[in-house]
Amino acid sequence: MNKPKMTTEKGVPSNSRVLMLLGQLEKLNGEAVLSDAEVSRHITSKILHLIQTQEKTRKEITAKGSSGMEVILASLESTRDLQTILNILCILNELVSVGGGRRVGVLVSKGGTAILLQLLITTSKEWPPSEELMLQLHTILAKVGPKDRKFGIKARINGALNITVSLLKQNLQNHKLLLPCLQVLRVYSANSVNAVSLGKNGVVELLFKIIGPYSKKNTSILKVTLDTLAALLKSKANARRAVDRTYVPTLLAVYQDWHRNDTRHRHVHIRKAILGCIRNITNIKLGRKAFLEADGMRILYSTSTECLSVRTLDPLINTSSLIMRKCFPKNRLPVPTIRSVFHYQLPHIPAEGPVAQLYRQPPDVDDVVDESDDNDDTEADTENDTENEEDEKNHKTQVARGGASGSASARCAAGLGFEYLATDWSPVLGVPLPPATLYCRNDDIETDISKLRPKENLTRPLEDLKMYECFFPELSENFQGYSFDSSKSCQTPAVLPKSLAPIVVPTAHAPSPLSLAQGELTDLPLDLDSICISKDGPGGAGGAGEGLAQELERVALEEDTLNGQSQSPVVGSLQGELEHDDDCSSHSSGELGVLEVPDTAALLPLHDPELYIDMVKGTKSVPQYTEVAYPDYFGHVAPTFREHILERVYGVQRAKIFQDIERMIHPNDILDKVVYDLDLKRSPVIDDGESLKFNSQFESGNLRKAVQVRKFEYDLILNSDINSNHYHQWFYFEVSGMRVGSSYRFNIINCEKVNSQFNYGMQVLMYSVQEAISGHPRWVRTGTEICYYKNHFSRSSIAAGGQKGKSYYTMTFTVTFQYRDDVCYFAYHYPYTYSTLKMHLQKLEALRTPQIYLRQDVLCETLGGNSCPLLTITAMPQSSSNDQICQFKNRPYVFLTARVHPGETNASWVMKGTLEFLMSPSPMAQSLRESYVFKIVPMLNPDGVINGNHRCSLSGEDLNRQWQRPSPDLHPTIFHTKGLLQYLSSIQRVPLVYCDYHGHSRKKNVFMYGCSIKETLWQTNVNAAACDLQEDLSYRTLPKILSQLAPAFSMASCSFVVEKSKESTARVVVWREIGVQKSYTMESTLCGCDQGKYKGLQIGTRELEEMGAQFCIALLRLKRLSSPLEFRNSSHFLDVENDLIESRCKVTSSTTYVLDEDEPSFMEEVDYSAESNDEPEPDPDPQETPADEDGLSDSELALRRS
Ligand SMILES: [Zn+2]
């Protein structure tokens, strides 16, 4: 160390006593090492005295700019005199014992760690070392260690580990020395390499000599010992060692002892530290086995239940439950295979596709419980940890910050242009771009922005695209000879010339949902072409006069043996029972009377039960459903009351987990009675009145199995998407046979996402048929004690993207039914079936006025044989004059799509709002129609919707990942929707706006994703500003307008980053390939809003439909803003730089494999851990002082956190 010059602040000579002394000390350091020991002893003892008596002195030495600490350390380094060393150590101890961590920080920053460790080595060689010296030295090291990130490595390299360990061994009874040594050891152990090395040297066994039964004495020592042990047990080798030495039962016995004796809860921190050790041992499989063999489940369960009433003991209960969940033996889901119950034979199976993979596996391997879990398979590696692991980590972070991305930005900063290569285009959010991704060229980027644009890449030849011409008759229509007075005028758009029709349009059935005239019904080549009431209704068990259950006969379609016979009698009987209010009330005092349906026509202009049944008849499902769910039949009138986001009740998750653990503790209480099972040919007949009845064999239903676990508790398993073995999230099922006033707990046990809005106030939706027939046909948010957590059902790696050791998640909710003999439905979100869409489209036709140009076509047929509707909406020209026709033909296109993901029903409700607005007679709607031509595909995935899928189509694939290369056979709706867009592009009529409506399961509010090169580059750390990249910022205008118009819309949640993983989504492909600059995904929350007018409320269909209407109004405003007259005023919409900066600061997390989202991954503040392997609390706070350890700091801390 260089000889520091003693200076004071600002270099002004001071008359301070201590500074004078330090000056003298400094002089001594400058002289020969063997200077007069007496003098240095004298000076240091004087300084010590001053420090002990005056806080002022301590301040002077450690003040900013003072070199006092340096002088003291230099003396310590140079002196060989024991007394002087002791004096200096005392000085240092005094200095750092108060004033918090700052003074320790000064000591560390002046190189104190190395000097102290060196001193430890040197003095240990002079055996026997001075006990006083070792005491002082370890006391100060115990404080320095936690403040020095590299302490563990430095100690190991210096050889200090063994010195402390031998000292411990020699002084197990010497409590005065034991405590600081253990404290230092605790810091050593925090380093994983040290932990392995200490374990090899017998430190685990050594620590177990200190751990003993309950005693009020030496609790500080015990606490540090346990913390050290817990740190060591993080090493798998040490955990194994502990298992081998049978320490698991020992720890459990010690825990029970403290639990029994610490009746006044003075030592919660010790009890928690014991649990910390058990927790770490049970991270390995052997540890969990030992824990179960030692009856750990029962011990922790009973101790925890005894703690439940004392809030300060929560940390113990939480850690116990964590351990128990981890050790709970993993079960298989009680299904024969996790593949979907239903199989759909694809026209061909691409060899590399997911379906081929799925069916290539031999039976029964798809659901193997992976024995290797929690990374156990890597345990051998732990012993070989490199010495430099921390350095490596640092190195990695540096690379991530300034490595590859740095070089890319450097190249761009050098003024080089660059462009994306379509084949190798991969900006990944938050991940540095590989250098190959960007190609820098010497093009002048400033004068040719289009160079930045991806090349339009028409994969289909122009002649091929001609087939879409017939879907755009508005471009050739001249309206000559048209009577513009006629109210029928708008029905004229040309019928498709058959030869031009590109797609196999079904001729025998459903030529178009809307042209389905009554007379044509007999042409339907379906099995379901007649309708009758089936007698296997839900109320079979009810006695006479029992009420609704018996009378509520299922609305069902049944195969009519008299195929082709007139429909009307059968439909008529339905009407008689369910619709004709007058008839029913007059002629039936009995069972038919209760089936009166309230006249909702006024409230639900687009709903018509009779029409719904007609529509269902044309809907083809893979399971060939013959039943209709009441909610879809009756319709849904949004409630007028507010539905608040639920406040989370404390301890719900814990209580649920304990109930789950009780299944293992008290196995005899478990019924395990299967009450519904799609895997069986015949569902079990449950008629004993002791169980609920389940059903979901109707459109969009997807319950696979229901198991009665306890009297009022059911485990439910959702079916996988067809031709898939996962994607469980959406649910829709029926329950009947309930008792009034009892609380039923429902657990959906095969959820896959790591977290859910069900943990943040979202409720399930329930529809009561009793409520419906008493005048309130509606879905309402229902359920208490809702939570979402990882469970003990093992998830096969085949269904978890290859990751082993994954578990499913449970979504649990509790419902108390209000009505006797009700039939209730539960759903993930407001259902919206394909048949409902068809009904709505047909009813929309009735809203047509002479001013409206409305066309409905069948774009194509789906794999499942259902037609995919395409709508064209604009305004009729006012006359057939040239300029009117010209204006008509030159309106820009707005292209909208929705519901590619079947589980995102909210997207359909938003689309409904859009369609209703577009068809409305209001001047604003008319103005909008006069401004644009709307091309709308309202349901991109009818098959998925019909069959109750959550994510996929019948091809077992996410259709929103197929836009780059859609297959005409496997993804016809995407292939042809893209074809329409490609056609528009080929005739230079690229749409002004494209928007795909989606639902978002993890975020609140409504928001948009758009595409911006600049913002993408920013997110990927390439310094776009340095590139002087010019980009038209108008992609922000529409979301900006929406954020001002629509209360549910949040600009802050929008993102304009293009991620590699989203490369094949509609939004990105339409932007890159078609060249639509304003290409968006609009995401609506499934939960609710946390800002704006709807803050704190769950979202309902009213708000969703409103959103769809406001989207239209925003388009109108967009048009006005872009007109030359108003352009000047539009600048306030484009205060983009601020927005950009905001969005740039947004933090995004890395994606984990669960379900592919359309949106950048998002990490909500998780304060309700759904992960059983989450560390409930960080490691013992390294900054805590020994004084804290005697208090209740841990539990207090935990309380503060909870
Ligand atoms: Zn989606």
Side-chain angles (χ1 to χ4, degrees):
M1 185 180 233
N2 291 331
K3 300 291 182 290
K5 283 267 185 282
M6 188 57 221
T7 51
T8 58
E9 281 167 281
K10 297 165 195 164
V12 179
S14 165
N15 56 1
S16 150
R17 181 93 194 281
V18 74
L19 294 182
M20 258 167 55
L21 289 167
L22 283 167
Q24 292 173 14
L25 194 60
E26 188 181 16
K27 246 186 200 165
L28 282 181
N29 292 344
E31 291 165 14
V33 175
L34 293 175
S35 64
D36 194 346
E38 279 300 325
V39 181
S40 59
R41 272 180 217 169
H42 180 71
I43 297 173
T44 49
S45 76
K46 270 187 175 170
I47 295 174
L48 179 60
H49 176 74
L50 282 174
I51 280 176
Q52 280 169 334
T53 51
Q54 300 175 357
E55 170 60 21
K56 172 183 142 236
T57 314
R58 292 192 284 265
K59 276 187 186 152
E60 280 174 324
I61 293 179
T62 54
K64 256 189 199 155
S66 163
S67 58
M69 190 66 91
E70 276 137 310
V71 172
I72 292 168
L73 285 172
S75 308
L76 185 62
E77 208 179 10
S78 59
T79 185
R80 285 287 169 270
D81 178 58
L82 182 62
Q83 188 54 52
T84 307
I85 291 172
L86 275 173
N87 284 349
I88 293 175
L89 289 176
C90 288
I91 290 170
L92 292 175
N93 263 321
E94 288 289 341
L95 280 177
V96 298
S97 61
V98 282
R102 195 188 71 79
R103 289 178 184 175
V104 183
V106 174
L107 178 54
V108 171
S109 70
K110 307 289 183 194
T113 314
I115 294 168
L116 291 166
L117 285 171
Q118 189 51 49
L119 185 64
L120 182 65
I121 313 296
T122 322
T123 51
S124 69
K125 286 174 185 157
E126 301 157 18
W127 200 256
S130 148
E131 184 184 318
E132 179 62 18
L133 184 99
M134 282 301 173
L135 177 65
Q136 290 294 339
L137 199 47
H138 277 89
T139 307
I140 194 161
L141 281 173
K143 287 172 189 149
V144 168
K147 279 282 175 184
D148 186 344
R149 264 180 6 96
K150 302 255 175 184
F151 186 80
I153 297 179
K154 287 174 184 169
R156 183 170 68 240
I157 290 167
N158 278 309
L161 266 52
N162 285 335
I163 297 168
T164 306
V165 172
S166 346
L167 202 62
L168 262 177
K169 284 180 180 163
Q170 307 294 325
N171 291 283
L172 282 179
Q173 302 310 316
N174 180 354
H175 290 161
K176 200 177 159 199
L177 187 55
L178 195 57
L179 184 61
C181 286
L182 281 167
Q183 285 169 338
V184 175
L185 191 64
R186 179 172 63 183
V187 191
Y188 293 161
S189 307
N191 175 290
S192 60
V193 183
N194 288 357
V196 174
S197 151
L198 291 167
K200 279 183 188 160
N201 287 338
V203 176
V204 173
E205 292 83 350
L206 185 66
L207 294 174
F208 266 95
K209 288 184 183 164
I210 304 170
I211 295 169
Y214 174 76
S215 156
K216 286 181 185 171
K217 287 179 189 163
N218 303 318
T219 53
S220 298
I221 286 178
L222 183 55
K223 173 68 165 62
V224 188
T225 306
L226 288 164
D227 286 346
T228 311
L229 184 64
L232 292 179
L233 291 173
K234 280 186 180 168
S235 139
K236 288 179 178 163
N238 289 341
R240 266 200 305 273
R241 199 167 276 127
V243 174
D244 290 346
R245 307 276 192 284
T246 66
Y247 289 147
V248 174
T250 310
L251 284 168
L252 283 166
V254 172
Y255 182 69
Q256 277 180 300
D257 187 52
W258 281 84
H259 172 79
R260 269 195 296 270
N261 290 296
D262 182 30
T263 47
R264 300 179 65 187
H265 311 309
R266 291 270 166 86
H267 302 291
V268 176
H269 56 299
I270 287 182
R271 291 155 69 182
K272 179 147 185 293
I274 303 169
L275 290 177
C277 295
I278 299 173
R279 185 185 68 201
N280 289 350
I281 293 182
T282 49
N283 279 337
I284 64 166
K285 208 190 312 164
L286 271 178
R288 292 192 287 275
K289 192 162 160 269
F291 176 84
L292 290 174
E293 282 167 1
D295 208 16
M297 291 295 274
R298 195 173 300 274
I299 292 170
L300 292 195
Y301 176 80
S302 57
T303 51
S304 298
T305 43
E306 285 165 27
C307 291
L308 279 172
S309 58
V310 187
R311 186 78 181 249
T312 50
L313 301 182
D314 277 355
L316 302 182
I317 301 169
N318 293 341
T319 310
S320 296
S321 93
L322 194 105
I323 296 167
M324 286 188 280
R325 286 166 75 184
K326 199 161 50 177
C327 296
F328 201 111
K330 291 274 176 81
N331 290 358
R332 281 180 57 145
L333 282 180
V335 285
T337 166
I338 52 173
R339 290 177 203 164
S340 167
V341 174
F342 307 115
H343 173 62
Y344 179 80
Q345 188 60 50
L346 295 174
H348 71 269
I349 298 176
E352 293 314 308
V355 179
Q357 275 175 26
L358 189 65
Y359 288 96
R360 206 180 289 137
Q361 286 146 16
D364 288 341
V365 300
D366 65 348
D367 193 23
V368 178
V369 174
D370 293 308
E371 286 302 322
S372 57
D373 47 359
D374 304 333
N375 305 317
D376 247 22
D377 43 352
T378 59
E379 45 188 284
D381 301 341
T382 321
E383 306 249 10
N384 304 324
D385 284 349
T386 60
E387 286 286 305
N388 299 317
E389 42 145 13
E390 290 188 19
D391 297 318
E392 273 174 11
K393 263 187 227 153
N394 292 338
H395 181 65
K396 274 179 202 154
T397 8
Q398 276 169 5
V399 170
R401 284 198 191 114
S405 61
S407 65
S409 65
R411 267 190 270 168
C412 296
L416 300 171
F418 60 89
E419 64 179 21
Y420 287 111
L421 286 197
T423 50
D424 188 12
W425 180 85
S426 56
V428 181
L429 181 73
V431 173
L433 287 165
T437 325
L438 290 173
Y439 280 73
C440 299
R441 294 194 185 167
N442 283 317
D443 300 331
D444 187 349
I445 193 169
E446 288 196 28
T447 55
D448 193 356
I449 296 161
S450 66
K451 287 235 153 54
L452 279 169
R453 292 258 160 258
K455 295 269 189 310
E456 281 176 24
N457 183 16
L458 288 179
T459 48
R460 294 173 67 182
L462 284 177
E463 315 83 70
D464 195 11
L465 292 174
K466 270 253 174 205
M467 61 159 63
Y468 295 105
E469 192 177 1
C470 62
F471 291 102
F472 299 91
E474 65 273 12
L475 292 173
S476 51
E477 181 69 69
N478 58 16
F479 294 94
Q480 296 308 314
Y482 232 75
S483 160
F484 282 87
D485 300 330
S486 165
S487 64
K488 303 241 171 190
S489 59
C490 40
Q491 290 173 0
T492 44
V495 176
L496 295 186
K498 188 117 207 285
S499 57
L500 279 180
I503 301 136
V504 188
V505 176
T507 49
H509 54 278
S512 145
L514 300 185
S515 60
L516 201 69
Q518 286 291 324
E520 293 169 341
L521 278 175
T522 47
D523 291 332
L524 293 174
L526 299 174
D527 305 333
L528 308 175
D529 57 355
S530 74
I531 181 166
C532 68
I533 301 292
S534 71
K535 295 297 175 191
D536 56 352
E546 275 289 301
L548 186 71
Q550 193 176 25
E551 292 141 19
L552 273 183
E553 296 175 86
R554 184 147 304 153
V555 185
L557 301 170
E558 280 196 347
E559 190 167 354
D560 190 350
T561 46
L562 302 172
N563 206 353
Q565 278 213 344
S566 165
Q567 297 275 331
S568 41
V570 197
V571 173
S573 75
L574 231 189
Q575 287 173 334
E577 284 202 58
L578 291 164
E579 289 179 72
H580 285 184
D581 304 339
D582 297 340
D583 289 357
C584 288
S585 49
S586 60
H587 77 70
S588 59
S589 55
E591 56 178 359
L592 295 185
V594 294
L595 291 172
E596 280 180 36
V597 183
D599 181 13
T600 53
L603 290 164
L604 290 173
L606 296 192
H607 193 86
D608 175 352
E610 187 185 350
L611 183 60
Y612 186 76
I613 297 292
D614 278 350
M615 294 298 117
V616 170
K617 283 184 279 187
T619 298
K620 295 179 184 172
S621 62
V622 172
Q624 305 199 311
Y625 290 133
T626 56
E627 296 170 18
V628 173
Y630 277 109
D632 302 318
Y633 177 77
F634 287 152
H636 157 71
V637 180
T640 46
F641 48 84
R642 299 175 138 212
E643 297 179 300
H644 291 270
I645 290 174
L646 270 201
E647 277 207 26
R648 202 168 62 222
V649 180
Y650 179 82
V652 167
Q653 177 179 272
R654 196 170 73 186
K656 297 297 162 189
I657 288 166
F658 272 75
Q659 286 178 19
D660 288 355
I661 290 166
E662 280 165 25
R663 297 184 186 196
M664 189 186 171
I665 309 280
H666 305 299
N668 292 337
D669 296 352
I670 301 304
L671 300 173
D672 221 12
K673 176 176 163 190
V674 177
V675 295
Y676 181 74
D677 193 348
L678 278 190
D679 287 283
L680 301 177
K681 284 233 163 78
R682 235 166 240 288
S683 235
V685 181
I686 304 300
D687 253 350
D688 54 8
E690 292 297 315
S691 308
L692 291 176
K693 295 188 199 84
F694 290 84
N695 178 36
S696 74
Q697 298 187 60
F698 43 77
E699 191 174 340
S700 296
N702 71 339
L703 182 66
R704 177 177 197 153
K705 186 167 186 171
V707 182
Q708 187 174 15
V709 181
R710 297 182 177 95
K711 191 169 183 188
F712 296 111
E713 182 177 352
Y714 293 83
D715 279 357
L716 309 176
I717 296 172
L718 305 179
N719 196 14
S720 304
D721 283 8
I722 290 184
N723 281 336
S724 152
N725 57 13
H726 61 300
Y727 303 110
H728 319 119
Q729 193 169 342
W730 162 257
F731 57 85
Y732 186 15
F733 59 88
E734 174 200 292
V735 172
S736 58
M738 61 281 283
R739 292 190 186 180
V740 176
S742 304
S743 292
Y744 287 87
R745 177 180 169 187
F746 297 97
N747 313 307
I748 296 173
I749 59 170
N750 62 339
C751 302
E752 293 159 307
K753 292 211 164 193
V754 292
N755 208 340
S756 161
Q757 282 291 323
F758 285 119
N759 273 342
Y760 303 95
M762 183 165 84
Q763 291 177 289
V764 301
L765 285 150
M766 188 179 91
Y767 192 104
S768 154
V769 174
Q770 287 277 20
E771 280 264 312
I773 59 177
S774 64
H776 299 292
R778 65 195 178 193
W779 288 98
V780 284
R781 299 276 187 175
T782 314
T784 54
E785 298 174 49
I786 299 172
C787 70
Y788 188 94
Y789 58 91
K790 200 185 228 180
N791 63 29
H792 59 277
F793 289 101
S794 173
R795 205 163 131 206
S796 158
S797 61
I798 294 162
Q803 293 180 50
K804 290 184 172 180
K806 291 278 166 185
S807 296
Y808 285 106
Y809 292 79
T810 291
M811 196 290 278
T812 181
F813 62 99
T814 298
V815 171
T816 308
F817 296 100
Q818 301 296 310
Y819 303 98
R820 214 168 140 226
D821 300 321
D822 202 353
V823 176
C824 289
Y825 291 79
F826 291 99
Y828 178 63
H829 199 73
Y830 302 90
Y832 191 105
T833 63
Y834 171 68
S835 300
T836 301
L837 172 73
K838 288 194 292 181
M839 173 182 69
H840 284 165
L841 293 185
Q842 187 142 337
K843 293 294 253 183
L844 273 184
E845 195 83 11
L847 301 179
R848 184 207 292 263
T849 67
Q851 285 75 40
I852 301 176
Y853 179 104
L854 166 67
R855 246 185 86 88
Q856 304 207 32
D857 292 294
V858 174
L859 174 62
C860 63
E861 193 171 283
T862 66
L863 280 177
N866 294 290
S867 50
C868 177
L870 166 68
L871 278 73
T872 307
I873 304 175
T874 185
M876 287 293 284
Q878 281 164 16
S879 73
S880 58
S881 69
N882 259 347
D883 54 336
Q884 283 294 326
I885 298 296
C886 186
Q887 194 275 342
F888 175 84
K889 287 183 181 173
N890 284 303
R891 291 171 192 162
Y893 277 95
V894 170
F895 206 110
L896 305 177
T897 54
R899 205 70 189 284
V900 70
H901 292 141
E904 294 163 5
T905 56
N906 43 1
S908 281
W909 290 99
V910 176
M911 182 53 87
K912 177 172 182 269
T914 295
L915 292 175
E916 280 184 281
F917 184 89
L918 287 178
M919 291 301 293
S920 80
S922 77
M924 227 191 274
Q926 177 61 19
S927 170
L928 184 62
R929 287 188 294 265
E930 285 165 3
S931 307
Y932 302 106
V933 180
F934 288 86
K935 283 282 172 192
I936 301 173
V937 183
M939 193 174 278
L940 281 169
N941 189 358
D943 290 345
V945 170
I946 294 164
N947 292 294
N949 283 7
H950 175 67
R951 189 82 181 173
C952 300
S953 71
L954 292 184
S955 74
E957 293 163 300
D958 180 344
L959 287 180
N960 205 31
R961 293 294 182 281
Q962 312 301 331
W963 278 77
Q964 277 187 315
R965 273 172 292 279
S967 148
D969 304 326
L970 295 175
H971 324 114
T973 60
I974 305 301
F975 181 83
H976 295 300
T977 304
K978 185 175 176 182
L980 294 175
L981 286 155
Q982 286 170 320
Y983 174 75
L984 283 174
S985 169
S986 74
I987 58 165
Q988 278 74 52
R989 294 297 300 267
V990 169
L992 181 76
V993 172
Y994 171 78
C995 188
D996 192 19
Y997 293 3
H998 282 256
H1000 199 294
S1001 67
R1002 286 176 297 160
K1003 288 174 95 169
K1004 296 200 164 68
N1005 310 314
V1006 180
F1007 50 93
M1008 273 178 158
Y1009 295 120
C1011 303
S1012 153
I1013 291 178
K1014 193 165 183 165
E1015 296 187 37
T1016 301
L1017 294 182
W1018 269 6
Q1019 285 281 358
T1020 51
N1021 290 336
V1022 175
N1023 191 340
C1027 296
D1028 277 341
L1029 191 152
Q1030 296 293 317
E1031 187 174 32
D1032 181 355
L1033 296 166
S1034 61
Y1035 62 85
R1036 278 185 164 261
T1037 313
L1038 187 60
K1040 192 86 190 171
I1041 295 170
L1042 277 169
S1043 73
Q1044 296 178 355
L1045 271 179
F1049 195 90
S1050 159
M1051 190 71 190
S1053 303
C1054 293
S1055 166
F1056 302 92
V1057 171
V1058 183
E1059 291 172 284
K1060 170 74 178 164
S1061 61
K1062 307 296 151 58
E1063 209 179 356
S1064 202
T1065 60
R1067 160 178 66 103
V1068 177
V1069 169
V1070 171
W1071 173 69
R1072 287 182 64 209
E1073 288 185 32
I1074 312 296
V1076 176
Q1077 205 194 3
K1078 296 182 177 73
S1079 176
Y1080 306 100
T1081 299
M1082 186 159 78
E1083 300 271 2
S1084 301
T1085 180
L1086 290 156
C1087 176
C1089 296
D1090 59 11
Q1091 51 82 50
K1093 193 170 94 185
Y1094 302 133
K1095 183 175 180 178
L1097 298 179
Q1098 295 183 76
I1099 201 112
T1101 53
R1102 198 191 311 275
E1103 292 76 27
L1104 293 167
E1105 291 182 45
E1106 179 193 69
M1107 190 64 231
Q1110 272 151 346
F1111 181 83
C1112 294
I1113 298 172
L1115 286 171
L1116 195 58
R1117 195 176 285 184
L1118 179 74
K1119 150 97 178 177
R1120 294 201 176 129
L1121 281 173
S1122 43
S1123 76
L1125 276 178
E1126 301 199 34
F1127 189 71
R1128 273 171 293 132
N1129 302 326
S1130 68
S1131 57
H1132 66 285
F1133 279 114
L1134 300 172
D1135 48 350
V1136 181
E1137 289 304 322
N1138 282 338
D1139 292 342
L1140 289 181
I1141 288 158
E1142 274 170 39
S1143 71
R1144 210 180 160 185
C1145 297
K1146 265 189 266 169
V1147 181
T1148 38
S1149 70
S1150 61
T1151 323
T1152 46
Y1153 175 91
V1154 188
L1155 295 174
D1156 298 325
E1157 287 290 330
D1158 282 336
E1159 57 277 351
S1161 49
F1162 166 74
M1163 185 88 93
E1164 180 158 358
E1165 180 192 349
V1166 178
D1167 50 353
Y1168 201 63
S1169 164
E1171 284 286 336
S1172 69
N1173 287 337
D1174 278 355
E1175 291 286 309
E1177 285 172 48
D1179 287 335
D1181 188 352
Q1183 289 177 34
E1184 73 182 341
T1185 61
D1188 289 334
E1189 289 168 15
D1190 290 324
L1192 282 174
S1193 60
D1194 271 7
S1195 53
E1196 282 162 9
L1197 262 174
L1199 263 185
R1200 233 177 289 144
R1201 287 192 189 107
S1202 63

